Amino acid sequence: MRVPRATYRLQFNRDSTFSDAAAMIPYLAELGVSDLYASPLARARPGSTHGYDVVDPNALNPELGTPEDFDRLVRVLHAHEMGLLLDIVPNHMGIGSDNGWWLDLLENGPASPYASFFDVDWSAGGRSELSGKVLLPVLGDHYRTVLEGGELELAFDADRGSLSAGYYEHRFPLDPKTYPLVLGGAASGDAPELDALVQVLREVPERDEVGRRDTTALKERLARLCARSSDVARAVEEGVQRTNDDSDALHTLLEAQAYRLAYWRVAGDEINYRRFFAVNDLAGIRVEDGRVFEASHRLTLDLVGQRSVTGLRIDHPDGLYDPTGYLKRLQKAAGAALTGETEATTSLREPLYVLVEKIPARHERLREDWPVSGTTGYEFINLAGGLFVDPAGEAEIDAAYHRFIGGEMDYEGVLYERKMLVMRTALASELDALSRLLLRISDYGRSYDFTASVLRETLSEVVARFSVYRTYVTPGSVSETDRRYVEEAVSRAREATSATDKGAYDFVSDALLLELDGPEEYRNMVLRFAMKFQQYTGPVMAKGTEDAAFYVYNRLVSLNEVGGEPDLFGVSVPEFHHSNAGRAKHHPHTMLSSSTHDTKRSEDVRARVSALSEIPGEWHDRLVRWASLNDPHRSDVGGEPTPSRNDQYLLYQTLLGAWPPGEKGLEEFRVRIRAYMEKAIREAQVHTSWTDPDDGYEAAVARFVDALLTPDAPFLREFLPFQRRVARLGALNSLSQTLIKLTAPGVPDIYQGNELWDFSLVDPDNRRPVDFGLRKNLLADLGRLDPSGARSLLEDGAWQEGRLKLYLTWKALALRRASPDLFARGEYVPLETSGEHADRLVAFARHHEGEAAIMAAPRLFARLVEADGPLLLPAPDAWSDTAVRLPAELAESTYRNALTGEKVATGEASLPVRELLRSFPVALLRSDG
């Protein structure tokens, strides 16, 4: 298996193409990157900025370039001995007028060869008017209003011989069997060929006759008739116009289709296809079906077989029906592609490098039966970031937060309430479907005492109490871990309910653990319920936490990160070492991330915000002063001063974290913050939301931001000195975090642009264009810098440019390149620290076959660094008697600091930190000779 040494994530789109990437490869190779880590490259919806809305998984996205452009990129990668780690999307597809599979499904309904590709409930919960139909909640108003307002319009494509209904950019193909409703009255003696075709169209098999439909030839025949005969063409156009002029006729036609058009607001309650979270135009696909797997992975496996792609990143595996089965099938298929064997005969002796976007809970471990190298590193983001949160400041931060917002806020309570809100709104239809299935199981099993409402309430309470994204129960297999998670959730839900009859909780538990026995049909229903339930808890967790609770509970927002748990205030050094040792043993090639396309804040923003935990008293004093200054800028909305204190608290942390380096570009910054705050308050769903925006509240927040970020605003005079203090601490935090990521067990990843300071917020802010020309020039300049001159990068006014972070990244990756086995296979050795500031230092070593490297990364800098000194560096005396203790096998070596060129003589059991860090904020020692 080819394992990357270090990866670099690029977001491809029409402004970041294959050719652009090829031009960057020499720079990335010089930086020390071994693998390009690409966002999805398959054909996505036009204009996609992220690529996760794939509409054709078997074609490269033409907006990124031609196949020849892609081949050239691969050749450039190979010329620099680099690989390509590709992000793929097996869980869902973008649907609409650009997706041929989806259009065929709309045209032919259950008879479409692609009907089973998408996860559609064709029974529609027993509602006869939706039986055999898929609900399309795309209309901007009620169906009747849209219909009678003439916004729905029938159109004929003469080149294809096809009829479709149009609604702005949407196109909905008509079932050819219903064409006679349009063409029948249009046919006349002047167009006998059309009369004959109409009769044939009436005899097209019904949509429930799977596999018997093939109307392509009939549509081609209609196109030929129109091209050959002006009478036919005119008759068709007359039929189309007549239908458009008669809303009753158009309604009758639309009612005869395999879909029902509906107001977008009904999606949460009525939608009958599985979505990615609550995104209506991202539909789940049934990759557990072998035909779907083969059809949706053809391009991916071809690229693997050609060795154009050397590894895969699997997006959202928790959305799959059977993630374990999928990953095993993927490895088999990849092995066959690489060897030319069949899936049945290939082995997993040399599996493909595969990572999964799995977001584990606090005490959750990656499943051992998944044939993967690890995750995409969200757990590392929160582990490493937690080192820079001072647990000693928790009580004061709590007090500052609660005093400012004027009340107590408990994260567990917020999370429960937000998850329940998600299930009442955006994901209500999925909960209804589960409840109906459970009711059928109840009736079948003669448990007649449960009503649909009781089962729905019970399910929602259990889902809201789940501590993990999902379990992984499969036919005949319920692990002890899964059993524990289910029983824990059920127990917590049962204890919290006031209902006197709690038997429904036992029934749900038995169903989820496959402990309801009976005939095969009954057992299959139970299995389907358990498996579909598992696909539901993940979206509820994600929407409830990442897209809601994280914007409500704002105590210290650097903790509000994907995979994070905001009530966990800091990570101790022993905890950090324990986690690293476990990773080195079980998943030594997992990804180590610090920023991603999904993070709520970049690593540098979080590093600044975390510094507040060290200076909670100063933070509180500033809050009080800022609130007093800015209260006149609040507006009255519905009798309440706006923005709320909680939203202000979020804003102030955001300004501290994202303030631009050099304090330039205030107008651009104001635009970014306004956009961010609009997204944040809509995600919180407290005062406004995406589905029910409160224009008055949102406008008041925008005015407040504008008032604060005006060049001569009194607030800025108060804000900037404190911001500079926080920025210094944040920069030091970020350097230590960077060193840790680049040297800990695992494969470090750099998100595009983050080799310099990057103060981006949640998407789309973190997908802004990156100035790679600047980075290339800066790296060239650093190449001419003697290590002994690295201290110049620390000077006030110089470190703000970000070259300091780029230098550290370059030097650390150079060491990984020079000693690949040391970091890929080397033993992880936690190093003890002693002295006055022992707890302010993280130190560890990597050791392999006589070669060693030692890393020392300080943390919790507030007591060590001057508020406004000439260098971004604690004074040597600040470290007092603090030392790093070395085991005998490491103390016998001599070392050279890869960052400064200084020789470090050991020979003793400890290294004084005042010597180790006298010239640079962090230390990276390599055994000399």
Side-chain angles (χ1 to χ4, degrees):
M1 181 172 67
R2 184 190 187 282
V3 177
R5 189 176 63 247
T7 61
Y8 193 98
R9 171 75 179 206
L10 270 187
Q11 293 295 113
F12 283 85
N13 52 59
R14 61 187 175 191
D15 298 319
S16 178
T17 65
F18 297 140
S19 295
D20 295 328
M24 287 170 46
I25 298 307
Y27 160 73
L28 296 181
E30 177 64 23
L31 184 63
V33 170
S34 70
D35 287 66
L36 181 64
Y37 171 22
S39 61
L41 302 181
R43 187 182 190 116
R45 278 199 296 256
S48 175
T49 61
H50 48 76
Y52 289 99
D53 45 0
V54 172
V55 295
D56 184 352
N58 294 315
L60 292 170
N61 190 344
E63 291 191 347
L64 310 184
T66 65
E68 291 74 22
D69 292 332
F70 176 75
D71 291 342
R72 178 173 174 272
L73 169 60
V74 172
R75 289 196 300 272
V76 175
L77 285 168
H78 289 175
H80 289 82
E81 298 182 342
M82 291 175 64
L84 177 59
L85 176 63
L86 178 61
D87 197 341
I88 65 170
V89 193
N91 173 69
H92 56 269
M93 295 182 71
I95 56 173
S97 302
D98 306 299
N99 187 323
W101 294 358
W102 184 252
L103 292 178
D104 193 284
L105 176 147
L106 296 184
E107 182 175 312
N108 296 293
S112 167
Y114 302 106
S116 62
F117 279 41
F118 296 93
D119 206 347
V120 178
D121 178 9
W122 293 103
S123 70
R127 291 184 56 184
S128 58
E129 69 273 18
L130 283 178
S131 180
K133 295 176 181 281
V134 58
L135 187 77
L136 301 182
V138 298
L139 304 181
D141 205 335
H142 294 280
Y143 169 78
R144 180 172 182 170
T145 301
V146 171
L147 176 71
E148 295 179 353
E151 295 178 79
L152 291 168
E153 188 172 32
L154 192 63
F156 176 63
D157 185 335
D159 292 332
R160 293 183 172 86
S162 60
L163 288 167
S164 63
Y167 178 70
Y168 297 100
E169 74 275 14
H170 300 285
R171 180 169 66 88
F172 312 103
L174 300 189
D175 179 354
K177 187 174 180 64
T178 68
Y179 283 18
L181 293 174
V182 178
L183 306 180
S188 69
D190 294 330
E193 302 99 330
L194 185 56
D195 282 327
L197 178 57
V198 165
Q199 185 56 41
V200 174
L201 286 167
R202 288 193 175 105
E203 296 171 1
V204 168
E206 299 293 338
R207 290 195 296 264
D208 58 358
E209 299 185 46
V210 180
R212 291 194 57 209
R213 280 183 156 226
D214 184 3
T215 58
T216 303
L218 297 179
K219 288 183 290 185
E220 291 175 348
R221 179 176 167 185
L222 179 58
R224 289 194 301 272
L225 286 176
C226 289
R228 190 170 63 241
S229 169
S230 59
D231 289 337
V232 171
R234 184 174 58 256
V236 171
E237 289 302 328
E238 288 175 355
V240 168
Q241 188 60 50
R242 186 168 51 253
T243 306
N244 281 329
D245 291 342
D246 184 347
S247 62
D248 289 337
L250 183 56
H251 169 67
T252 299
L253 178 67
L254 291 174
E255 280 292 282
Q257 304 309 312
Y259 48 82
R260 167 168 283 192
L261 303 179
Y263 189 17
W264 66 268
R265 287 184 179 276
V266 309
D269 292 325
E270 300 287 342
I271 205 162
N272 63 334
Y273 59 88
R274 182 172 62 87
R275 301 165 290 172
F276 172 72
F277 294 173
V279 184
N280 294 342
D281 53 9
L282 293 178
I285 59 173
R286 299 181 60 253
V287 75
E288 67 273 12
D289 184 318
R291 294 176 305 140
V292 180
F293 179 94
E294 292 172 4
S296 59
H297 286 70
R298 194 172 303 121
L299 174 65
T300 297
L301 295 173
D302 284 348
L303 295 177
V304 168
Q306 297 162 12
R307 289 171 170 75
S308 298
V309 166
T310 53
L312 296 174
R313 181 258 199 196
I314 311 304
D315 181 67
H316 194 47
D318 276 351
L320 303 178
Y321 190 73
D322 178 12
T324 306
Y326 168 79
L327 292 167
K328 290 179 177 178
R329 174 78 185 269
L330 179 67
Q331 285 286 14
K332 281 282 197 179
L338 286 166
T339 63
E341 301 174 5
T342 65
E343 287 186 39
T345 59
T346 190
S347 71
L348 294 181
R349 288 192 301 273
E350 296 183 12
L352 186 69
Y353 182 74
V354 174
L355 298 175
V356 288
E357 189 212 18
K358 168 64 184 172
I359 303 172
R362 188 178 307 179
H363 303 297
E364 187 180 10
R365 292 182 58 179
L366 188 63
R367 289 182 63 93
E368 295 180 359
D369 57 348
W370 283 12
V372 300
S373 292
T375 72
T376 52
Y378 288 112
E379 64 273 32
F380 183 81
I381 289 176
N382 294 285
L383 175 75
L387 286 170
F388 305 98
V389 175
D390 189 353
E394 182 173 15
E396 285 191 77
I397 288 290
D398 277 346
Y401 180 40
H402 293 146
R403 280 198 295 267
F404 189 82
I405 66 174
E408 300 282 324
M409 189 176 292
D410 169 65
Y411 177 68
E412 186 173 345
V414 170
L415 178 58
Y416 168 79
E417 194 277 331
R418 293 295 100 178
K419 289 171 78 173
M420 292 295 284
L421 176 64
V422 166
M423 288 185 281
R424 288 196 303 272
T425 55
L427 298 176
S429 61
E430 290 87 345
L431 182 62
D432 283 341
L434 283 171
S435 302
R436 291 192 299 268
L437 178 55
L438 190 58
L439 183 62
R440 290 201 298 272
I441 293 171
S442 168
D443 290 342
Y444 195 107
R446 302 177 184 176
S447 300
Y448 299 140
D449 299 322
F450 303 129
T451 64
S453 61
V454 166
L455 293 177
R456 193 181 193 281
E457 180 181 354
T458 302
L459 283 175
S460 63
E461 291 290 342
V462 171
V463 172
R465 264 45 181 230
F466 249 73
S467 62
V468 292
Y469 275 68
R470 66 166 286 170
T471 51
Y472 301 94
V473 171
T474 55
S477 174
V478 180
S479 71
E480 287 305 310
T481 298
D482 287 339
R483 179 178 297 278
R484 184 172 69 251
Y485 289 138
V486 169
E487 291 177 347
E488 174 194 53
V490 171
S491 176
R492 292 174 60 201
R494 182 191 291 111
E495 291 171 4
T497 186
S498 58
T500 55
D501 183 1
K502 302 182 180 182
Y505 288 96
D506 295 327
F507 181 61
V508 168
S509 178
D510 288 344
L512 294 177
L513 297 175
L514 308 183
E515 293 179 347
L516 295 176
D517 198 13
E520 182 178 2
E521 181 182 9
Y522 179 69
R523 294 196 308 272
N524 287 340
M525 291 171 62
V526 172
L527 176 62
R528 176 171 173 77
F529 167 77
M531 300 288 276
K532 299 301 290 184
F533 177 91
Q534 294 177 140
Q535 287 181 290
Y536 183 64
T537 55
V540 172
M541 176 71 88
K543 294 293 292 181
T545 55
E546 301 164 27
D547 295 344
F550 280 2
Y551 294 96
V552 177
Y553 184 78
N554 297 319
R555 175 178 67 158
L556 189 70
V557 295
S558 57
L559 300 175
N560 297 15
E561 195 46 83
V562 179
E565 301 182 48
D567 55 342
L568 179 63
F569 203 89
V571 172
S572 70
V573 175
E575 287 177 301
F576 174 77
H577 285 317
H578 177 76
S579 181
N580 276 353
R583 188 184 327 110
K585 179 179 180 181
H586 297 290
H587 294 99
H589 307 314
T590 196
M591 182 172 279
L592 307 180
S593 296
S594 46
S595 294
T596 78
H597 61 285
D598 278 333
T599 43
K600 303 302 179 184
R601 296 160 187 86
S602 72
E603 59 206 63
D604 295 322
V605 172
R606 295 195 310 273
R608 287 177 169 182
V609 174
S610 291
L612 297 176
S613 68
E614 300 183 64
I615 49 175
E618 293 180 54
W619 168 233
H620 177 255
D621 292 344
R622 298 286 177 164
L623 284 170
V624 172
R625 176 62 179 158
W626 297 341
S628 176
L629 278 174
N630 296 327
D631 259 350
H633 302 306
R634 299 171 81 189
S635 307
D636 184 283
V637 177
E640 294 293 332
T642 300
S644 70
R645 282 301 189 100
N646 195 39
D647 288 340
Q648 284 186 69
Y649 197 89
L650 169 64
L651 173 61
Y652 292 135
Q653 291 180 81
T654 302
L655 295 178
L656 285 170
W659 188 262
E663 301 168 14
K664 296 178 182 178
L666 185 59
E667 174 59 29
E668 178 188 352
F669 184 64
R670 181 165 59 241
V671 171
R672 288 176 54 211
I673 297 301
R674 284 182 60 165
Y676 171 77
M677 287 302 297
E678 179 182 83
K679 177 168 183 171
I681 60 180
R682 286 185 176 184
E683 295 281 28
Q685 300 178 69
V686 175
H687 303 285
T688 184
S689 69
W690 295 106
T691 54
D692 290 297
D694 185 322
D695 294 338
Y697 191 90
E698 292 181 3
V701 171
R703 288 194 300 270
F704 189 79
V705 170
D706 287 345
L708 269 57
L709 300 181
T710 299
D712 297 325
F715 165 71
L716 288 184
R717 292 195 295 271
E718 293 274 347
F719 170 79
L720 290 177
F722 185 66
Q723 194 282 329
R724 284 192 288 269
R725 163 106 159 112
V726 170
R728 289 176 67 85
L729 297 176
L732 290 165
N733 283 347
S734 186
L735 291 173
S736 288
Q737 182 174 251
T738 298
L739 176 66
I740 287 169
K741 178 183 74 173
L742 296 175
T743 55
V747 176
D749 174 61
I750 302 167
Y751 181 67
Q752 59 178 30
N754 278 241
E755 63 270 37
L756 293 182
W757 303 135
D758 182 276
F759 303 105
S760 295
L761 300 167
V762 71
D763 69 283
D765 195 63
N766 62 9
R767 295 173 187 173
R768 290 171 295 146
V770 175
D771 188 344
F772 286 107
L774 170 66
R775 286 157 175 77
K776 181 179 179 179
N777 292 335
L778 290 178
L779 184 59
D781 291 342
L782 291 175
R784 294 185 286 270
L785 178 69
D786 188 273
S788 62
R791 189 181 178 93
S792 66
L793 301 174
L794 307 174
E795 295 174 357
D796 192 34
W799 63 264
Q800 287 94 335
E801 298 174 358
R803 288 189 298 159
L804 182 59
K805 186 179 181 185
L806 178 63
Y807 178 78
L808 172 60
T809 301
W810 173 50
K811 286 295 186 180
L813 290 181
L815 182 54
R816 288 189 74 104
R817 177 162 49 194
S819 303
D821 288 344
L822 174 63
F823 291 95
R825 299 185 177 88
E827 178 187 4
Y828 178 80
V829 184
L831 299 179
E832 294 182 12
T833 56
S834 62
E836 181 181 356
H837 299 299
D839 63 335
R840 297 180 187 276
L841 191 71
V842 179
F844 57 88
R846 306 299 302 276
H847 189 229
H848 181 70
E849 295 183 352
E851 189 176 19
I854 294 174
M855 282 61 69
R859 68 187 195 118
L860 309 182
F861 289 93
R863 286 177 52 192
L864 302 173
V865 179
E866 296 180 30
D868 194 16
L871 292 175
L872 188 72
L873 188 71
D877 291 345
W879 284 106
S880 182
D881 61 342
T882 309
V884 178
R885 302 180 63 182
L886 302 179
E889 64 271 20
L890 296 178
E892 296 172 356
S893 301
T894 59
Y895 298 86
R896 188 171 298 276
N897 192 327
L899 305 175
T900 65
E902 296 167 308
K903 193 168 184 178
V904 180
T906 54
E908 296 186 6
S910 66
L911 291 172
V913 175
R914 63 176 179 271
E915 295 297 325
L916 195 61
L917 300 177
R918 66 183 178 183
S919 302
F920 207 79
V922 296
L924 175 56
L925 309 183
R926 180 183 182 183
S927 53
D928 197 7

